[in-house]
Amino acid sequence: MTRTKKTVAIAVGGLAALLLLGSVLAHPRGAFVDRSDVLARALGITAEEVEQAREDGTLKGLLADVTRDDLRTAYEAEATEVIDDASAAGDITSTQADRLKEVVSADRGDLTDDDIATLKSLRGAVTVDRTAVYASLLGITSDEVEAAKSDGTLRDRLADVNRVALVAALVDARDAAIDAAEDAGDITTEQAELLRDAGKGFGRFSGKGHGHWGKRGFGGSCGNSGEWSGDKKDASPVGDPA
């Protein structure tokens, strides 16, 4: 199985184990892409009209004929645009941009029952030190990240970090952790490939019409309220397929 053939969970749409990652969307400025922009693209209206429909209770009706594939296509287009903008601005490298596009363009539908069972068995087999990632992005020490978390200032510090750069750094760290586990013999080559390619995507849609999303974005740890959550454990399990 190759990275391009075996696909990531995006059921339609998402960012969390971004494979990681409950924290991939854990950015104080909001999600990787805005929910309203994706729905607007899928519906052929403006984001402002989407928000108005949400407020007046007509959004569900508008989405009645929107399929999972429609939402996935819209999400992929929005996410690709965001990634390209970040790459052009120098916030991420072209290599990181390509990797993120692999994630957003993938579909978990190719996973077999055996693949899913394997992923469940690997839950927690590989961890990513998010504290170290945050420290690198912020140019501070891990101890300072911990202190910022304790005194409640980490959110403000991360607000200055480009959200796409944060996602890219977390994906890089996850891939590196998987590579290290494979090199150490803790997981097999086949398991490593499955973890790289079949982790969580950039968010989740399910079924027809509307699916699961937070107030401002898709998936991740923004939750239903859309608020950023900074209380996750520092080492994120990346073997969880669900």
Side-chain angles (χ1 to χ4, degrees):
M1 178 191 66
T2 65
R3 181 173 295 180
T4 55
K5 287 183 179 179
K6 203 42 137 171
T7 54
V8 184
I10 194 175
V12 155
L15 206 37
L18 182 345
L19 307 193
L20 273 5
L21 296 193
S23 71
V24 169
L25 285 183
H27 194 286
R29 288 194 311 204
F32 187 72
V33 295
D34 191 272
R35 177 201 65 174
S36 294
D37 291 334
V38 175
L39 296 184
R41 185 181 290 263
L43 291 166
I45 60 179
T46 66
E48 290 74 18
E49 289 173 318
V50 168
E51 287 304 310
Q52 181 59 50
R54 182 179 65 81
E55 292 175 8
D56 62 27
T58 62
L59 181 59
K60 183 175 181 179
L62 290 176
L63 289 169
D65 294 325
V66 176
T67 67
R68 178 184 182 277
D69 286 342
D70 293 334
L71 291 171
R72 181 172 182 266
T73 298
Y75 180 85
E76 183 177 341
E78 287 295 325
T80 297
E81 187 173 297
V82 169
I83 292 167
D84 285 340
D85 287 345
S87 180
D91 295 317
I92 59 175
T93 66
S94 59
T95 299
Q96 288 176 316
D98 289 341
R99 180 64 175 124
L100 293 184
K101 288 178 185 178
E102 286 182 346
V103 175
V104 301
S105 65
D107 188 343
R108 193 173 180 174
D110 287 349
L111 293 179
T112 66
D113 290 342
D114 287 343
D115 290 336
I116 293 173
T118 297
L119 286 169
K120 288 181 178 179
S121 72
L122 292 172
R123 185 173 298 172
V126 179
T127 60
V128 172
D129 187 351
R130 286 185 295 182
T131 295
V133 174
Y134 295 155
S136 177
L137 288 169
L138 293 169
I140 60 179
T141 66
S142 292
D143 287 343
E144 288 173 313
V145 170
E146 290 294 338
K149 184 190 297 184
S150 297
D151 64 24
T153 61
L154 181 58
R155 175 190 176 96
D156 292 335
R157 285 176 177 263
L158 287 175
D160 294 327
V161 176
N162 179 276
R163 59 187 177 179
V164 183
L166 173 59
V167 171
L170 287 167
V171 173
D172 284 346
R174 181 183 187 276
D175 286 344
I178 293 171
D179 290 344
E182 180 185 1
D183 291 343
D186 296 330
I187 58 176
T188 67
T189 297
E190 291 75 15
Q191 289 172 332
E193 290 176 348
L194 188 61
L195 283 173
R196 292 187 194 99
D197 301 333
K200 294 178 182 178
F202 282 179
R204 295 183 294 279
F205 292 99
S206 64
K208 185 176 181 180
H210 60 85
H212 302 290
W213 48 64
K215 183 176 180 181
R216 295 189 58 194
F218 303 90
S221 59
C222 291
N224 292 332
S225 67
E227 295 299 321
W228 176 74
S229 174
D231 59 356
K232 300 288 183 179
K233 292 182 180 179
D234 300 320
S236 301
V238 294
D240 187 349

